[in-house]
């Protein structure tokens, strides 16, 4: 059940800030989950309007010892976006791109800016932000920086921390601070100054300058360059630690914020390095008949210098064919029925350059005797976009497996040197199978990152017990192979608990000291990175998970029940995208989590499982949340997990109306065809006048809940059916079509159906 909230305490916060503070049960439930295994109800949700608003809220939290969690799109796969805290969501108002310096290639922006929106703004300037997480169409810069995100092109652009130049943030005590690069000549003055910035820089410099600590950082930090777990102490000028993608040697505490998962403060501005857009790109789709064959081929394929190699595994391919939008895209680049694909991209100065690189890959694959099928070369932008859209939908696609056993995320973003990739996956798969668990995987293959997901029923205690066993085994393998426990999705609740074992006691001690330097009261997203709870706590499902029994009106047998159809939503939040596709139109209009497909699914699940009070499922408040779903079916086509909110809403409405009865408004519009038939024709002029204005219209507005500004559709003096039956009939032909004249084309706008008829008959039908 929801935790108790001190109403007076939050009233005090409301008086101090300009932004909206919400503490109602529905708002808190909407922010209780992300895209991970976890669920934890926040104390309240705050939507700041400015950096000063954030500072006022954090100062309030410090006075009252309330934990704080900064959150953007909530796409975390490790659980760092849920906590018993005041959630600060900057995606509604902190969305400004403040400054772009084209010559020096950097941008300064607020944390709520969505990455795809930023790149669209930068495209005319020939620039982009290098790291490209799959969630770029809804993930915002604050979360991307805090998570140290990366993506398919990490072999070119590295991690987000490689591109962080400066941050502005509010610390746990409410201090407004800015960290950025410090030139060597300015370092003594920067360390000896007054205020929180100088103090933090001084203490961190002392920490990483100690020779014993430097040795700990060098030996404890994973050797693989693609890493985002722990804290980035190794980026503060530790001798002997180098990076492929970050040549800037200056002392810069801002880089420590990247990957801190909100544990050091709340970001209010970020300044990021930019990279040039590639002149041209091309893709080679290389098929394989086994996943291990594909993994073993990666080192040889990397010798040709691609910009990215991505593995699209058999499960993702199979699931993509079940989703209409993804099936359409898949058909544009997949030949035959391969087991899996290596999507291999090349950048070049011209189309001919890219084509030559693909030819070189084709020759190299044959010369190396790799067990690959015939590759397909793609040069058309639309077809390449289809490839990347399917790959970016991979998470949701693999999660669309029916039933309670799902491919769950807790070891899914480990990375090893590519020469060990096949062996790592093979050993991990063998261990999982020894526990009776199958795994599926797809990969940022070029970087040695494998998204391994064991199939776990997180509603059974016996299955939940397997998760720490599998993770513990993976840690042993990764230490042996020089890999990183997290290379993309961070620590959160899934891995923070085992960080001491993975990084070693000495380095973990330095991490704890670092956390205390920034956040001595442990109020900033506590439990992430250090001092994490057991990974089996605060689960979204768990051994005690149950749902209330419902007599279903629709057939949900294919989903194994209405509740499981709701549970298909895994929280990835693709429905929060705004400028591509159709899903979800009500979110695009309101930018409210409640009016996204994910938000509605979370509310339904919470009401059925007892996370919301009894009776909530059929409450008027739930009806409000469902009302703006326009049943467009876009989610059915575009959600990678095929969440069909239109069908779920219809089932909900049956239960709601069974409890509350059917309103006059609903009854009226349910009879729209019959009423239209009565009002069209001879009565149309009179009815149109009455319904347009005057007392009759005011009564309709009041009884039916109509907006006064909305004109009602006029009725036609001659309905389409009357015109059709009296028109001169054409001579019969063998060419026949059926014209569906719906209610509105018949009685309101017959000119459309008339024109269609005339065109068809002129064409000989």
């Amino acid at each position: 059940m929801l935790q108790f909230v001190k109403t007076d305490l939050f009233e005090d916060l409301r008086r101090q800030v300009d932004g909206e503070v919400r503490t109602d049960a529905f708002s808190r439930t909407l922010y209780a989950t992300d895209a991970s295994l976890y669920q934890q109800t926040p104390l309240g949700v705050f939507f700041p309007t400015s950096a000063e608003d954030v500072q006022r809220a954090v100062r309030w939290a410090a006075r009252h010892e309330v934990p704080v969690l900064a959150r953007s799109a909530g796409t975390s796969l490790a659980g760092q976006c849920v906590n018993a805290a005041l959630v600060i969501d900057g995606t509604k108002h902190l969305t400004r791109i403040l400054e772009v310096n084209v010559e020096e290639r950097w941008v300064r922006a607020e944390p709520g800016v969505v990455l795809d929106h930023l790149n669209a703004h930068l495209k005319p300037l020939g620039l982009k932000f290098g790291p490209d997480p799959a969630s770029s169409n809804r993930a915002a810069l604050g979360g991307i920086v805090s998570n140290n995100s990366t993506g398919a092109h990490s072999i070119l652009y590295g991690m987000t921390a490689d591109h962080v130049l400066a941050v502005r943030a509010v610390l746990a005590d409410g201090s407004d601070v800015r960290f950025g690069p410090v030139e060597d000549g300015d370092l003594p003055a920067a360390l000896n100054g007054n205020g929180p910035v100088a103090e933090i820089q001084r203490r961190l410099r002392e920490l990483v300058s100690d020779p014993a600590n430097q040795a700990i950082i060098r030996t404890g930090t994973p050797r693989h360059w693609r890493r985002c777990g722990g804290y980035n102490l190794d980026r503060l000028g530790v001798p002997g630690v180098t990076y492929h993608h970050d040549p800037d040697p200056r002392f810069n505490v801002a880089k420590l914020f990247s990957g801190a998962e909100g544990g050091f403060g709340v970001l209010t501005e970020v300044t990021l390095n930019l990279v040039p857009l590639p002149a041209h790109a091309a893709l080679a789709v290389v098929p394989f008949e086994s996943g291990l064959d594909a993994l073993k081929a990666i080192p040889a394929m990397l010798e040709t210098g691609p910009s990215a190699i991505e593995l699209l595994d058999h499960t993702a391919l199979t699931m993509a064919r079940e989703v209409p939008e993804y099936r359409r895209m898949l058909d544009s680049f997949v030949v035959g029925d391969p087991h899996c694909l290596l999507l291999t991209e090349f950048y070049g100065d011209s189309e001919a350059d890219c084509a030559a690189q693909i030819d070189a890959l084709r020759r190299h694959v044959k010369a190396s005797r790799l067990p690959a099928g015939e590759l397909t070369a793609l040069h058309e932008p639309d077809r390449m976009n289809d490839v990347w859209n399917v790959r970016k939908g991979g998470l949701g696609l693999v999660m669309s497996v029916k039933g309670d056993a799902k491919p769950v995320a807790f070891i899914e973003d480990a990375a090893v040197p590519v020469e060990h990739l096949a062996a790592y996956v093979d050993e991990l798969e063998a261990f999982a199978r020894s526990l009776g668990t199958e795994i599926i995987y797809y990969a940022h293959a070029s970087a040695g990152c494998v998204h391994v997901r064991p199939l776990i029923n997180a509603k059974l205690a016996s299955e939940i017990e397997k998760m720490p066993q599998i993770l513990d085994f993976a840690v042993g393998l990764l230490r042996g192979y020089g890999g990183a426990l997290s290379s993309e999705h961070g620590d959160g609740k899934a891995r923070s608990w085992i960080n001491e074992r993975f990084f070693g006691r000495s380095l973990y001690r330095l991490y704890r000291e670092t956390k205390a330097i920034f956040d001595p009261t442990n109020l900033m997203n506590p439990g992430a990175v250090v001092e994490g709870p057991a990974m089996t706590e605060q689960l979204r499902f768990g051994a005690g998970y149950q749902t209330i029994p419902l007599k279903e009106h629709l057939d949900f047998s294919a989903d194994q029940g209405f509740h499981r159809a709701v549970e298909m939503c895994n929280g990835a939040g693709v429905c929060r995208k705004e400028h591509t596709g159709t899903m979800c139109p009500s979110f695009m209009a309101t930018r409210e989590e409640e009016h996204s497909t994910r938000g509605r699914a979370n509310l339904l699940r919470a009401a059925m499982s007892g996370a919301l009070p009894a009776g909530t499922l059929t409450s008027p408040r739930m009806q409000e949340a469902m009302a703006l779903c326009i049943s467009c079916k876009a989610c059915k086509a575009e959600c990678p997990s095929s969440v069909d909110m239109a069908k779920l809403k219809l089932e909900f409405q049956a239960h709601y109306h069974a409890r509350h009865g059917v309103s006059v408004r609903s009854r009226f519009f349910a009879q729209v065809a019959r009423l239209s038939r009565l009002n069209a024709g001879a009565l149309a002029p009179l009815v149109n006048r009455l319904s347009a204005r005057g007392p009759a219209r005011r009564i309709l507005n009041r009884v039916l809940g109509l907006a006064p500004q909305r004109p009602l559709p006029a009725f036609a003096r001659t309905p389409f059916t009357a015109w059709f039956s009296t028109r001169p009939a054409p001579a019969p032909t063998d060419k026949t079509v059926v014209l569906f004249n719906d209610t509105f084309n018949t009685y309101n706008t017959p000119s459309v159906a008339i024109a269609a008829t005339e065109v068809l008959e002129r064409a000989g039908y």
Side-chain angles (χ1 to χ4, degrees):
M1 297 298 291
L2 294 175
Q3 299 175 27
F4 175 70
V5 179
K6 297 179 180 178
T7 305
D8 293 344
L9 194 63
F10 282 91
E11 284 301 324
D12 180 48
L13 174 61
R14 289 186 178 95
R15 287 191 291 269
Q16 297 181 40
V17 296
D18 296 325
E20 185 181 4
V21 179
R22 301 178 187 171
T23 56
D24 64 283
F26 270 51
S27 295
R28 294 165 63 210
T29 297
L30 289 165
Y31 285 80
T33 54
D34 50 13
S36 73
L37 288 163
Y38 298 98
Q39 176 170 295
Q40 194 168 13
T41 306
L43 305 178
V45 185
F46 173 50
F47 302 92
T49 59
S50 64
E52 293 72 26
D53 225 12
V54 172
Q55 185 177 27
R56 289 189 285 266
V58 175
R59 283 178 174 171
W60 169 89
R63 285 196 304 272
H64 298 289
E65 299 182 347
V66 173
V68 172
L69 167 62
R71 167 171 161 151
S72 52
T75 58
S76 158
L77 290 168
Q80 57 264 56
C81 287
V82 297
N83 215 327
L86 172 67
V87 170
I88 298 181
D89 181 354
T91 60
K92 286 198 72 174
H93 305 298
L94 303 185
T95 57
R96 295 180 299 163
I97 299 171
L98 301 168
E99 185 179 5
V100 178
N101 189 310
V102 177
E103 291 74 24
E104 297 179 13
R105 293 180 182 168
W106 54 260
V107 62
R108 184 168 60 90
E110 292 182 318
V113 174
V114 172
L115 179 54
D116 276 3
H117 301 178
L118 173 66
N119 282 334
H121 181 83
L122 296 171
K123 187 175 181 179
L125 306 175
L127 298 170
K128 69 173 183 175
F129 181 63
D132 53 346
S135 56
S136 62
N137 60 5
R138 68 268 193 203
L141 298 181
I144 288 169
V145 170
S146 295
N147 191 65
N148 194 11
S149 297
T150 185
H153 295 87
S154 61
I155 57 173
L156 289 183
Y157 304 126
M159 313 291 294
T160 293
D162 296 316
H163 301 272
V164 173
L165 299 176
V167 299
R168 180 184 175 190
V170 178
L171 301 179
D173 64 356
S175 300
D176 184 4
V177 297
R178 185 186 184 278
F179 291 101
V182 181
E183 302 293 344
D184 289 345
D186 299 330
L187 195 55
L191 299 179
N192 294 321
N194 296 317
V197 172
E199 180 184 357
I200 287 173
Q201 291 183 146
R202 182 167 56 249
R203 293 177 66 184
L204 288 172
R205 184 70 174 182
E206 291 171 355
L207 188 74
V208 301
S209 297
D210 181 275
N213 289 345
Q214 288 184 355
I216 291 169
I217 295 169
R218 274 196 303 271
T219 58
T221 301
R223 296 188 296 278
H224 198 294
W225 58 266
R226 181 164 162 149
R227 55 184 183 269
C228 71
Y231 296 134
N232 290 321
L233 290 176
D234 47 305
R235 291 182 180 269
L236 295 182
V238 177
V241 181
T242 59
Y243 292 88
H244 297 293
H245 310 284
D246 185 4
D248 190 345
R250 294 175 294 179
F251 183 79
N252 189 351
V253 174
K255 293 184 180 298
L256 209 56
F257 275 80
S258 190
E261 301 184 3
F264 295 163
V266 180
L267 296 174
T268 55
E269 280 183 22
V270 294
T271 304
L272 304 171
N273 173 63
L274 302 174
V275 300
L277 286 170
H280 294 275
L283 267 169
V285 180
V286 188
F288 289 84
E289 290 309 312
S290 90
L292 283 179
D293 282 347
L295 295 178
K296 290 175 182 176
I298 293 165
M301 293 175 64
L302 281 171
E303 294 172 5
T304 62
S307 57
I309 302 179
E310 296 285 293
L311 173 67
L312 196 62
D313 86 316
H314 186 68
T315 301
L317 286 171
T318 301
M319 295 302 172
R321 293 188 175 96
E322 301 297 319
V323 182
E325 182 68 7
Y326 287 90
R327 181 172 62 249
R328 177 196 63 77
M329 290 186 279
L330 206 64
D331 289 343
S332 75
F333 65 87
V334 175
V335 177
D337 187 24
H339 183 273
C340 61
L341 304 171
L342 285 181
L343 313 173
T344 310
E345 183 191 59
F346 293 92
Y347 286 165
D349 295 328
S350 65
E351 289 186 18
D353 183 16
C354 292
Q357 292 184 76
I358 289 181
D359 286 340
L361 173 67
R362 183 182 284 109
R363 293 192 300 270
H364 191 68
V365 166
K366 291 181 179 178
S368 303
R369 296 186 177 181
L370 300 180
E374 184 62 32
L375 68 78
T376 301
L378 305 178
H379 299 275
E380 304 88 348
D382 288 347
R383 294 179 73 192
M384 288 190 286
N385 284 337
D386 286 342
V387 173
W388 288 118
N389 285 334
V390 172
R391 170 59 190 88
K392 287 185 174 185
L395 162 65
L397 291 170
V398 299
M399 288 297 290
S400 62
V401 174
K402 304 290 186 183
D404 290 336
K406 300 287 187 183
V408 297
F410 59 93
I411 54 169
E412 87 291 347
D413 64 321
V416 297
V418 290
E419 61 268 22
H420 301 311
L421 191 54
Y424 166 74
V425 172
D426 197 24
E427 291 181 66
L428 189 59
E429 188 170 24
F431 178 77
R433 282 179 174 169
S434 74
L435 299 177
T437 298
E438 296 296 318
I439 69 170
I440 63 174
Y441 53 89
Y442 58 104
H444 295 302
S446 51
C449 170
V450 193
H451 291 314
V452 176
R453 289 185 164 235
L455 284 161
I456 297 286
N457 183 351
K459 298 177 182 177
L460 297 178
S462 59
E463 290 280 287
I464 294 170
E465 290 171 1
K466 296 177 182 179
M467 295 194 299
Q469 296 178 58
I470 295 171
L471 183 53
D472 186 70
F473 181 80
V475 164
L477 287 180
L478 293 165
R479 287 174 65 89
Y481 285 128
L485 178 57
S486 174
S487 74
E488 185 171 50
H489 299 147
D491 294 326
K493 299 181 187 302
R495 289 180 283 270
S496 295
W497 68 281
I498 205 170
N499 270 347
E500 184 171 10
R501 165 159 151 67
F502 178 71
F503 291 108
R505 184 173 299 175
S506 297
L507 183 55
Y508 187 74
R509 172 180 56 81
L510 297 183
Y511 288 164
R512 292 176 66 182
E513 291 180 25
T514 303
K515 168 73 168 172
I517 288 172
F518 285 95
D519 181 22
T521 55
N522 194 30
L523 289 178
M524 296 285 104
N525 200 15
V529 182
V530 295
E531 308 294 346
M535 72 174 297
T536 54
E537 295 179 9
Q538 302 293 340
L539 294 174
R540 184 188 301 197
F541 296 110
Y545 180 86
Q546 291 183 336
T547 57
I548 58 176
L550 289 175
K551 183 179 179 182
E552 297 167 2
H553 297 77
L554 302 178
D555 181 7
F556 287 94
S557 57
D559 301 292
Q560 302 178 31
F562 174 64
H563 65 290
R564 288 189 177 91
V566 170
E567 292 162 7
M568 287 298 293
C569 176
N570 57 69
V574 181
C575 46
R576 286 179 61 99
K577 61 187 174 67
E578 293 183 59
H579 298 303
T580 57
T582 304
M583 180 182 71
C584 174
S586 52
F587 176 80
M588 293 179 185
T590 65
R591 301 188 68 237
E592 287 279 355
E593 178 72 18
E594 177 175 322
H595 298 303
S596 68
T597 304
R598 178 177 73 174
R600 296 185 182 100
N602 274 332
L603 291 174
L604 289 172
R605 181 180 50 78
M608 289 191 292
S609 64
L612 285 167
T616 301
L617 179 63
T618 53
S619 66
R621 181 66 183 87
M622 185 68 77
Q623 167 71 354
E624 289 178 19
M626 301 298 292
L628 288 190
C629 170
I630 62 173
S631 299
C632 66
K633 288 280 189 177
C635 50
K636 175 67 173 175
E638 296 178 17
C639 173
S641 297
S642 299
V643 176
D644 187 351
M645 187 50 63
K647 184 177 180 181
L648 297 177
K649 177 184 178 179
L650 191 59
E651 180 69 28
F652 157 77
Q653 286 181 314
H655 294 276
Y656 178 82
H657 291 308
R659 178 179 175 184
H660 297 281
V662 180
S663 67
V664 173
R665 173 192 171 96
S666 294
R667 292 181 186 277
F668 178 87
F669 285 111
Q671 300 298 324
V672 65
R674 181 177 300 172
L675 293 170
S676 297
R677 188 162 57 249
L678 294 173
N679 290 312
L683 290 176
L686 175 62
V687 173
N688 290 338
R689 284 197 299 273
L690 291 174
S691 62
R693 66 182 82 85
R697 178 57 197 266
R698 288 195 292 272
I699 293 172
L700 286 174
N701 292 347
R702 185 165 58 252
V703 174
L704 302 180
L706 302 179
Q709 303 88 342
R710 176 68 182 266
L712 293 177
F715 293 105
R717 181 68 179 82
T718 304
F720 171 72
T721 46
W723 173 87
F724 189 87
S725 64
T726 59
R727 84 195 191 291
T733 73
D734 292 335
K735 298 166 66 176
T736 304
V737 296
V738 175
L739 177 66
F740 175 62
N741 53 302
D742 64 10
T743 298
F744 297 100
N745 278 317
T746 299
Y747 301 112
N748 302 105
T749 55
S751 58
V752 176
I754 290 171
T757 302
E758 291 174 340
V759 168
L760 290 168
E761 291 182 344
R762 291 281 183 90
Y765 288 89

